[in-house]
Amino acid sequence: MKITLVRGDITEQNVDAVVNAANSSLLGGGGVDGAIHRKGGPEILDDCRKLRASQYAGGLPTGQAVATTAGRLPAKWVIHTVGPVYSATEDRSDQLASCYRESLRVADELGVESIAFPAVSAGVYGWPVDGAARIAVGTVRATPTKVTEARFVLFTQDAYDAFEHALDTP
Ligand code: AR6
């Protein structure tokens, strides 16, 4: 698998699937989540509501992932995952790694070849970006998948630099 880095907006990526840093309600929010719903349109929320009415009545648990349509986005699918809120006293790295593993598992189920990830948990959820980048790159590298391109799409220069450093570290 090829791992690439882009500084930009995930909603503009021409890939089969974009990953959303969602919350367990699946009903929208700020950050990447807000941007995806705004640009993708109401079909995404319709699908999310259906998921809440069926298998995720209690919400999507942290570390899990589920796909919906991508509405008007260039991608075919949005894969929603819920990152952990950062804690300075409890190590939640496994939950963050699980977001990337589960997103790739869902991508494989859908036959996705190219996928774009944001820096899950590195915004509102407060994860220091260097650590978030290490976990993201390390997990994607270590996960067996049929996906041929994983693209990290970083909104800020700080996040881009952190991911570049993580990629340069074997
Ligand atoms: N494209 C790519 N990256 C972006 C974009 C974009 N359009 N917009 C922001 N980022 P966040 P979280 C970066 O807060 O920390 C939401 O309200 C941002 O700079 O979107 O997992 C959800 O509903 C940061 O580096 O996600 C949840 O309630 C990264 O994306 C909560 O926030 C993640 O920031 C999830 O928090």
Side-chain angles (χ1 to χ4, degrees):
M1 179 187 27
K2 184 170 71 162
I3 300 181
T4 55
L5 294 189
V6 170
R7 166 115 194 249
D9 183 341
I10 202 162
T11 64
E12 293 171 2
Q13 304 300 309
N14 281 305
V15 286
D16 295 332
V18 297
V19 173
N20 182 20
N23 59 64
S24 68
S25 82
L26 290 176
L27 299 179
V32 178
D33 199 5
I36 284 176
H37 282 283
R38 249 190 329 273
K39 267 261 189 72
E43 270 184 79
I44 300 175
L45 192 56
D46 285 350
D47 269 10
C48 287
R49 288 210 176 95
K50 283 179 196 147
L51 288 165
R52 284 302 305 275
S54 54
Q55 70 253 53
Y56 294 111
L60 181 66
T62 303
Q64 293 193 25
V66 67
T68 66
T69 176
R72 296 194 291 261
L73 297 180
K76 291 195 203 74
W77 309 98
V78 174
I79 298 175
H80 306 262
T81 190
V82 182
V85 174
Y86 179 73
S87 164
T89 53
E90 183 184 273
D91 184 6
R92 298 178 180 166
S93 306
D94 287 348
Q95 289 179 315
L96 185 54
S98 174
C99 290
Y100 292 95
R101 270 196 304 272
E102 287 298 301
S103 294
L104 287 170
R105 188 184 59 73
V106 170
D108 278 344
E109 278 175 13
L110 296 168
V112 161
E113 289 181 2
S114 54
I115 189 169
F117 289 103
V120 177
S121 288
V124 174
Y125 282 178
W127 208 292
V129 73
D130 290 327
R134 247 189 333 266
I135 292 166
V137 169
T139 305
V140 169
R141 264 189 186 140
T143 303
T145 173
K146 296 192 286 282
V147 170
T148 56
E149 184 193 356
R151 186 183 302 174
F152 289 106
V153 182
L154 294 322
F155 208 51
T156 64
Q157 189 63 42
D158 270 9
Y160 185 91
D161 292 346
F163 275 74
E164 192 171 47
H165 184 253
L167 255 189
D168 288 345
T169 312

